[in-house]
Amino acid sequence: MIYADHNATSPLRPEARQAMLDVWDMGATNPSSVHTSGRAARGVLERARTAIGGAIGSRAEDIILTGGGTEADNLALHGIAVALDGKCTFLVSAIEHEAVTKAAAHSGARVQTAYVTPDGQLDLARLEDQLAGWDHAKFGTPVLCLMLANNETGVIQPVAEAARIVREAGGLAVCDAVQGLGKIPVNVGLLGVDYLSLSAHKIGGPQGAGALWHRAGAPLKAIVHGGGQERGLRSGTENVAAQAGFGAAIDAAIGDLPKYAMLARYRHDMETRLEREAGVMVMGKAADRLAGTSNFAKPGFAAETQVMAMDLAGVCISAGSACSSGKVKRSLVLLAMGASDALAESAIRTSFGWNSTPEDFAGVADAWLDAARRTVLKETA
Ligand code: PLP
């Protein structure tokens, strides 16, 4: 089997697995307990927090451990809305993950869209126009929500530039870095954002572990109340084993950054072959992209047909479109980039990661061309 769906979830790294087994072998591990076993658990948790903070250039104490990326995004958006008493407007980029768009929609605050260019990057000139002469009394604090890298196209966003624009307008910036972490260098100081969300399972850590970084002093209130863990900002006993796995995965991913960057070379060969032999259109190709992500379309070849054909050939990929309640929706990300319906309906996402090999890229191209020759290419031959 070839696994080319790392942006959905990445296989568990051996280092993360071992770190979790070590915690489970410790016995009882409530890090809030004051006895010996509790203190041992606290030590493991704080080492994980230090690894997570270190990976993004943050102090450990500014990291709030959460149950994944979705929860981190929700804590940021709802936590800001509560702290600002609803007096804010979320400027949500048109390509955000639903964890952000839906959290904004349910926050009770106003929401505006921040538009992207046809390359799939935030349109900075339009953002500047949107914020020029911002009426703070009417719209409250502008809060930009811009991801670091898009989960469908891999397009890397101009986060530092956008954060500067919003800061100059007296606003705040939230960055969902779930897809960027462990694939490109991430530094909260250089990005200049106020909040940054992370998830373990996209980089070979376990599912259900994540974190929210927030700048000291940035407005944030708890949305889950209880025992007061995580400095009162996220009550509930921490998942020590999962966070230990996250810490180990993040250390390994940072060490592997040069190896990950090499994937661009194999992706180039794969895309060049698909363009030449089948005339596919690569989405977001003109922009900087995550080295392991390739989203391409062949109008007339339905995305779900491609996913099924590839699965039969032993290759795991995703449709560029999201599937909900049995209905396949066209990708909102691609439509926001101005793609036609025909392109958006035929786009698939291949994503490679820490254990991908050059043979995986070649295997994806072989399987895809084989499926295409039996369907669309035959008709046009
Ligand atoms: N944000 C982005 C950009 C994602 O790609 C994902 C997962 O697909 C999430 C947030 C949600 O993360 P999690 O699965 O850890 O809740």
Side-chain angles (χ1 to χ4, degrees):
M1 186 186 86
I2 297 176
Y3 187 76
D5 205 9
H6 280 254
N7 289 10
T9 198
S10 210
L12 194 65
R13 288 178 185 262
E15 298 88 341
R17 180 175 181 276
Q18 190 56 53
M20 288 192 287
L21 288 174
D22 291 347
V23 174
W24 287 323
D25 284 344
M26 286 169 68
T29 52
N30 187 334
S32 298
S33 299
V34 292
H35 47 59
T36 307
S37 99
R39 290 200 307 278
R42 171 62 55 192
V44 172
L45 197 66
E46 294 315 316
R47 276 195 294 283
R49 196 189 306 279
T50 301
I52 297 163
I56 60 167
S58 139
R59 305 183 306 172
E61 56 261 45
D62 295 331
I63 301 288
I64 306 161
L65 302 173
T66 67
T70 302
E71 193 194 313
D73 286 333
N74 274 267
L75 172 56
L77 273 69
H78 289 288
I80 292 169
V82 174
L84 298 180
D85 214 9
K87 295 187 184 69
C88 60
T89 297
F90 290 111
L91 283 100
V92 180
S93 96
I95 54 163
E96 289 306 291
H97 189 272
E98 285 189 318
V100 170
T101 55
K102 292 199 173 157
H106 287 274
S107 69
R110 290 174 192 260
V111 181
Q112 290 184 13
T113 301
Y115 294 94
V116 298
T117 65
D119 292 342
Q121 282 184 314
L122 188 82
D123 189 332
L124 292 168
R126 236 170 134 175
L127 177 69
E128 254 173 333
D129 287 349
Q130 239 167 323
L131 288 167
W134 184 263
D135 187 342
H136 282 262
K138 186 167 171 199
F139 298 113
T141 305
V143 183
L144 176 71
C145 302
L146 178 62
M147 62 197 342
L148 187 55
N150 185 261
N151 43 303
E152 291 186 30
T153 60
V155 171
I156 297 167
Q157 299 301 313
V159 174
E161 294 88 330
R164 182 187 49 75
I165 293 170
V166 79
R167 193 167 53 245
E168 284 169 3
L172 297 165
V174 180
C175 179
D176 174 334
V178 165
Q179 293 290 349
L181 180 72
K183 300 172 187 167
I184 54 173
V186 182
N187 182 293
V188 287
L190 294 178
L191 289 174
V193 295
D194 303 284
Y195 311 83
L196 185 111
S197 41
L198 305 169
S199 174
H201 74 106
K202 310 291 185 181
I203 55 162
Q207 291 151 352
L212 177 70
W213 167 84
H214 71 123
R215 180 178 54 73
L220 188 71
K221 284 266 168 74
I223 57 165
V224 174
H225 305 279
Q229 289 90 343
E230 299 300 303
R231 290 180 293 118
L233 287 165
R234 195 272 190 181
S235 284
T237 304
E238 292 93 343
N239 188 338
V240 180
Q243 294 296 352
F246 187 9
I250 222 167
D251 279 344
I254 299 302
D256 274 356
L257 278 174
K259 205 172 129 200
Y260 180 84
M262 292 278 291
L263 298 181
R265 205 189 281 179
Y266 315 131
R267 180 188 63 185
H268 172 79
D269 294 346
M270 179 184 84
E271 289 180 345
T272 308
R273 207 176 138 202
L274 295 174
E275 285 167 334
R276 197 180 51 229
E277 296 185 30
V280 302
M281 165 107 174
V282 177
M283 314 305 291
K285 197 180 172 193
D288 272 348
R289 289 177 293 156
L290 297 175
T293 303
S294 177
N295 185 311
F296 54 88
K298 175 75 188 164
F301 196 5
E304 56 275 36
T305 311
Q306 298 178 54
V307 172
M308 280 187 288
M310 296 287 271
D311 193 33
L312 284 174
V315 181
C316 301
I317 57 157
S318 272
S321 52
C323 200
S324 78
S325 54
K327 267 174 74 183
V328 174
K329 292 188 281 181
R330 282 186 302 265
S331 159
L332 297 179
V333 170
L334 300 182
L335 294 178
M337 290 164 62
S340 64
D341 285 354
L343 269 180
E345 279 161 14
S346 67
I348 56 161
R349 175 187 73 188
T350 60
S351 50
F352 301 81
W354 67 270
N355 63 352
S356 299
T357 62
E359 292 74 32
D360 290 341
F361 287 82
V364 167
D366 288 341
W368 191 89
L369 285 167
D370 189 43
R373 276 188 202 107
R374 280 184 281 109
T375 48
V376 274
L377 297 185
K378 166 180 82 185
E379 287 156 21
T380 51

